[in-house]
Amino acid sequence: MREYSFIIAAGGQGTRLGGKKQFMSLGNRELWRWSAENAAVTDSVREIILVIPQGETLNPEWTHDVPLHVVNGGSERALSVLNGLNAATCDYVMVHDAARPFASPELFRRLMDAVSENAGVVPVLPVSDALKRIEGGEVSCVEREGLYITQTPQVFPRMKLIEAVEKFPSAKDEAEAWFKSGHELRHVEGERMNFKVTVGDDMTIARALTERRMTRTGLGWDIHRLVPERKLILGGVRIDSPLGLLGHSDADVLTHALMDAVLGGAGLPDIGNLFPANDERFRGADSLELMREVMRLVNAEGWNVDFADAVITAQVPRLNKYRDDIIRKLSEFFPLNIKFKSAENIDDSGRGLCITCRAVATLGRSV
Ligand code: MG
């Protein structure tokens, strides 16, 4: 049975992502660990060689039976891979890019089945998008028939690959060096999920695929008295009305209920605690300013407000025509819906003495 060293090339500077992406966390572990752990449970893989950037040190915790060795890379990808190849001990090697976290053990086995002492193997996928070439601002169309993208891991007999990479150090990947050396190159079907995390969007997709999310719901309620000679402000929108809401701040009953719903979901104290009614700083305060502070607090705890819904109960004035304006105004903070109810002329809101508001907010954060 053939035995394999699994080499993970993690020696790059990853500048396109604004940092060394191979050490960024994805789900509950660093990017490179995803493929290392899949390799560790693949039959015939005897050791894992992690090639890290030149001059860096790393002593990762590693509990698998298959040993993990860390070696430093060089100034170029080929030199990094060579360091990994020279540190390896098996007759066959799988060279993999740390930036492809989702390569599956099934793919590893397909590659192992196809390799031989004279032939290397690469995973490929047909190009599915239409292609254009742009040179000097000129666009031309490229026939995609017969074109494939190449993924990793790429599998080879180790000693012959060392010769090939030494001979063609500027090759784009090991397969190119192998092919240019005149060796047979085979292919197996790659995997769409085995995409390369290269730019920020890729990391967003990778995180969406891996991160567990915690969701919570918060509830808010508020009431303010309707009185003459006060402005009526709902969701930061000035409502035309002979009566307005009485309060220490601008008495924006909708924004207050929403703030409490958001704070409730985040497990934080309510606005009465955050912005006390006896504190002069909040006299006549613009409630949208208070909401900005609430969002800062909630975001600092890692929460995102996914959605909020509110019901405003008011006999007077009629509010429906303000709905779009209010939603637009509050969309600065999170997506939301609002509804209006009259109070059927019963209770204090039904008698036009007050306006009440109930709100719920759904918050999420990664665990
Ligand atoms: Mg209030």
Side-chain angles (χ1 to χ4, degrees), residues 221-224 246-257 259-260 271 287:
W221 182 83
D222 198 23
I223 182 168
H224 282 268
L246 183 64
H248 181 63
S249 67
D250 63 2
D252 183 340
V253 69
L254 167 61
T255 304
H256 292 182
M259 285 193 281
D260 270 352
I271 52 171
S287 292

Side-chain angles (χ1 to χ4, degrees), residues 296-352:
R296 267 191 292 277
L297 289 170
V298 164
N299 292 338
E301 301 268 317
W303 292 102
N304 181 63
V305 180
D306 294 338
F307 193 73
D309 190 21
V311 184
I312 296 166
T313 307
Q315 195 67 39
V316 285
R318 290 297 181 203
L319 295 165
N320 248 321
K321 64 174 176 183
Y322 294 99
R323 182 170 177 269
D324 289 351
D325 283 349
I326 294 173
I327 289 179
R328 200 174 305 123
K329 192 97 178 172
L330 291 172
S331 296
E332 168 191 341
F333 303 107
F334 38 76
L336 80 160
N337 184 39
I338 53 171
K339 292 104 68 195
F340 304 103
K341 281 271 184 228
S342 84
E344 298 284 339
N345 298 303
I346 47 177
D347 82 14
D348 286 344
S349 39
R351 282 186 283 276

Side-chain angles (χ1 to χ4, degrees), residues 246-292:
L246 183 64
H248 181 63
S249 67
D250 63 2
D252 183 340
V253 69
L254 167 61
T255 304
H256 292 182
L258 285 167
M259 285 193 281
D260 270 352
V262 167
L263 289 164
L268 293 168
D270 67 7
I271 52 171
N273 281 282
L274 289 177
F275 315 115
N278 57 10
D279 189 326
E280 278 307 306
R281 279 179 303 159
F282 305 120
R283 178 176 296 282
D286 173 356
S287 292
L288 294 193
E289 277 303 321
L290 304 182
M291 178 63 100
R292 282 183 196 106

Side-chain angles (χ1 to χ4, degrees), residues 125-145:
L125 282 176
V127 171
S128 57
D129 296 321
L131 296 177
K132 305 285 175 289
R133 182 188 302 279
I134 301 177
E135 273 172 330
E138 291 287 306
V139 181
S140 58
C141 296
V142 177
E143 185 55 59
R144 73 168 178 226
E145 195 64 32

